[in-house]
Amino acid sequence: MRGVLSDRMGAALLMAPLLLFLVLAYAWPFLGVVKWSFTLPTPGLGQYDALLTDDLVQSVFIRTLRIAAIVTVVSVAAAYAITVVWVRGGPAQRLIAEFCILVPFWISVLTRAFGWVALLSNRGLINTWLQSIGFISEPLTLVRNEFGVVVGMTHFLIPFAVFPLASAMRSLDDRVLLAARGLGSSRMRTFWTVFVPMTRSGIIGSALIVFVFSLGFFVTPAILGGGRSVMIAELIYLRIFQSPDWGLGAAISVVLVLFVGALMALLFRYVRPKQLI
């Protein structure tokens, strides 16, 4: 008993610096933001009332949720295909999948965003090539709109969706799949009726992670959206640093943090933390 208490005290002492850092670096500043939302420019609930009546804020919230939902669906679908190859493919296929997963981590989000601008702009590689083969006569509008934002965010977030899926796929019992095949199920039917349902926790975890990350994206929408597809993080920046409307910006931040907190609580209800690694 004494040994158990000693181990717990030791673990608490080791965790204390981390907890102190989190309080000083995140919790304390956030309390200041909460204070701004209730006190600037005048004390009261005026900023939260503005969230319910300001058409611009509501349209940005809706656009953010729409883009985050699209990015989540596309990212999880692409990540699922990559993960199947990574976990259950041959050595060469696994090597290619690892390359696709790990290389994006080594390239900054800024570099990737400008890379997509070079590819998708009117004089970019894609439009130039399509015009050269006669497929189109005028350049397609592929950037500085929601399409460009979705492409850039999806490219960035796919690797984050892979790891919960890989954890779920690696925990599968292959004997269940063999039993399904032994009972006469085709390969595709086994995949859709056995394999996919058994990786449900990984799908939920990936979707929630990508959706939460999408809500706070700033650099990619700012560059690929060109100011025409403003998302909630960019709106907060504009309200605080350019308006300056600190009270409304703080109120938006508080609502966004509470929303993300609710999603994270939902995530940990369905997915164990070790499955996210």
Side-chain angles (χ1 to χ4, degrees), residues 31-41 47 240 246-248 250-251:
L31 290 177
V33 173
V34 174
K35 181 182 177 182
W36 291 348
S37 70
F38 288 105
T39 58
L40 297 177
Q47 302 304 334
I240 291 180
W246 289 31
L248 185 58

Side-chain angles (χ1 to χ4, degrees), residues 2-221:
R2 182 176 298 175
V4 173
L5 291 176
S6 178
D7 290 342
R8 290 180 177 177
M9 290 184 63
L13 289 175
L14 290 174
M15 293 291 293
L18 175 61
L19 293 175
L20 180 62
F21 172 79
L22 292 176
V23 169
L24 294 177
Y26 294 100
W28 186 254
F30 179 68
L31 290 177
V33 173
V34 174
K35 181 182 177 182
W36 291 348
S37 70
F38 288 105
T39 58
L40 297 177
T42 57
L45 298 174
Q47 302 304 334
Y48 291 95
D49 182 62
L51 294 181
L52 301 175
T53 57
D54 192 314
D55 292 336
L56 174 62
V57 175
Q58 292 181 7
S59 66
V60 172
F61 260 115
I62 293 172
R63 181 186 300 118
T64 301
L65 293 176
R66 181 176 65 247
I67 291 177
I70 295 172
V71 169
T72 300
V73 172
V74 178
S75 297
V76 173
Y80 201 94
I82 295 172
T83 309
V84 168
V85 174
W86 187 29
V87 174
R88 311 191 73 84
Q93 294 171 320
R94 292 182 184 180
L95 184 63
I96 294 173
E98 288 175 0
F99 181 82
C100 295
I101 296 167
L102 297 178
V103 167
F105 281 114
W106 302 335
I107 304 173
S108 76
V109 61
L110 198 61
T111 303
R112 278 189 264 181
F114 281 114
W116 279 113
V117 171
L119 286 173
L120 301 177
S121 63
N122 289 347
R123 296 183 180 180
L125 294 178
I126 293 178
N127 273 316
T128 302
W129 176 69
L130 291 176
Q131 286 182 294
S132 67
I133 63 175
F135 190 76
I136 58 175
S137 57
E138 297 291 333
L140 299 175
T141 307
L142 302 176
V143 74
R144 303 195 187 287
N145 53 21
E146 285 192 16
F147 177 80
V149 174
V150 169
V151 170
M153 290 175 60
T154 300
H155 177 234
F156 184 86
L157 290 171
I158 284 176
F160 292 93
V162 164
F163 295 107
L165 290 170
S167 178
M169 291 182 189
R170 285 173 175 152
S171 64
L172 282 179
D173 190 343
D174 288 340
R175 291 174 297 181
V176 178
L177 302 177
L178 292 174
R181 295 297 307 278
L183 292 173
S185 176
S186 65
R187 187 180 295 274
M188 287 302 297
R189 187 175 182 183
T190 301
F191 177 78
W192 287 111
T193 61
V194 180
F195 188 85
V196 172
M198 291 181 69
T199 57
R200 183 173 56 248
S201 64
I203 297 172
I204 295 173
S206 295
L208 287 173
I209 288 174
V210 172
F211 190 79
V212 167
F213 279 3
S214 299
L215 294 176
F217 249 63
F218 175 74
V219 174
T220 301

